[in-house]
Amino acid sequence: GREGAVSVQAVRCLGYCYAAPAALDGDEPCAGADLVDQLGGRSTRTDPDIPAADATGDPVLLSGILSGGPGWRVWPGVAAMCTPEHVRTQLDRSGLRGRGGAAYPVAAKWAAVVGHPSPLVVANGDEGDPGSFADRLLMERDPDRVLEGLALACFACGASSGIVLVRSEYPKALNQLEGALRRAYRDGHLGARVHGGPVSLDLRVVSGAGSYVAGEETALIAGLEGGRGCARSRPPYPTQEGVWDAPTVVNNVETLAAVPWIIEHGGEAYARRGVPEQTGTKLVCLNERFARPGCYEVEFGTGLDWIARELGGGLRGGAGLTVLQVGGPLGGFLPADRLNVPLTDRDLAAAGAALGHAGLVAFDESVEPREVLRYLWQFADAESCGACSPCRVGSRRGLELAAAGGPPDPDYRRWMGVLEQASLCAFGRGIPAAVRSLVRACGDRLDDWEV
């Protein structure tokens, strides 16, 4: 083609919401306001690191990234001298819940596979929420911690093998994890009779299927088996029949990254962090509209308004915040004057939103509410796996109506009810709630879409 011309095609979220826009040239990421010039060779390519900071005084998840301390400090002693029961007991005492969005107690999920033959543990690094890049940060900058957390989970569950699944849009994370895995085998952390103890453990790293819904547990399992990343009905649950029908535990990358700290310091020490109903810390991601975008570690119970104002520094250029999207497109939207909400699942649910993976995306007065609504339906339509007709048909109908710019059709409430109640997985079921929260957050500007 013409010299200097650039061929561009749309891709899934690349995890650069702190420095958008971004692109992949093969496996080489780059980002910045001059992205087109970077791709055309007219300016130097930049791959900005994720800004990361601790707001707790004693980081759990960012400790290795911020201090540069070595990984694999806990595993050798556990593999040689501890019992799986000890690890499970510490996790139970910690109160750790899944960080991928469902907030299911980790110890209970692990207990579900104990005693079953040949269980498997999967670290889910298929982070797909626009606005979230916490898993990418951990996989790229502290892959040893991710692998060590997975090793501890395998040990606790009685599993002799584990898998880290990485988003295909995260080539740098994939490369870092593969390098860390080679070093772990070289240093004797993995393989037969680890550190002279009775434990034998093999881990591997695989690339995901390039779909938002492929991060849902059952869809992820289908992808690992070589099928389409489509959700299936439950039961049976993955802990009963997972990858190739083996009992399978799927834990989010951030969840597993907390496990080494818990085992090193004890479950009670972790349980003293956060609030009683939701213990510990959480990585919260702030998008590029904030004055100080990046990934911050906070304790549960921290106020959402404080996070946006003090950590994020408000919006760039002194713009006025109008709406804050919490936990991805299906997490929910809150108006700027309703951010006095503690960061917990229960408090956010009461406010009409959801924590999800805790990506915060700010909108200012320059963004039209109907444009956000159209994007929400566009995301739903593009990412529906198509396995069930309520989500497949409902998301397409919603996009058609939103794109037309007018009010919804007379059957709107009926098919939204079907979408919410009859979809196979949480993706389809969550779309109506997200629309409702956007309508509430925007006041009378979207009242014709009220359900």
Side-chain angles (χ1 to χ4, degrees), residues 72 143-144 147 175-185 190:
W72 295 102
D144 288 347
L147 293 175
N175 183 61
Q176 290 293 94
L177 278 163
E178 288 174 340
L181 188 66
R182 288 192 295 271
R183 292 192 302 273
Y185 274 101
L190 301 172

Side-chain angles (χ1 to χ4, degrees), residues 92-107:
D92 189 39
R93 290 174 180 170
S94 75
L96 180 68
R97 291 176 174 267
R99 299 294 189 245
Y104 191 78
V106 174

Side-chain angles (χ1 to χ4, degrees), residues 4 46 101 110 113 119 136 178 186 225 263 318 351:
T46 57
W110 289 2
V113 302
R136 189 191 136 217
E178 288 174 340
R186 181 198 67 196
E225 293 174 340
I263 302 307

Side-chain angles (χ1 to χ4, degrees), residues 52-63 66 273 281 295-299 311:
D54 171 60
T56 71
D58 182 15
V60 172
L61 298 156
L62 296 182
S63 56
L66 298 179
R273 315 289 297 271
T281 68
C295 186
Y296 296 87
E297 184 165 359
V298 302
E299 295 207 2
L311 296 183

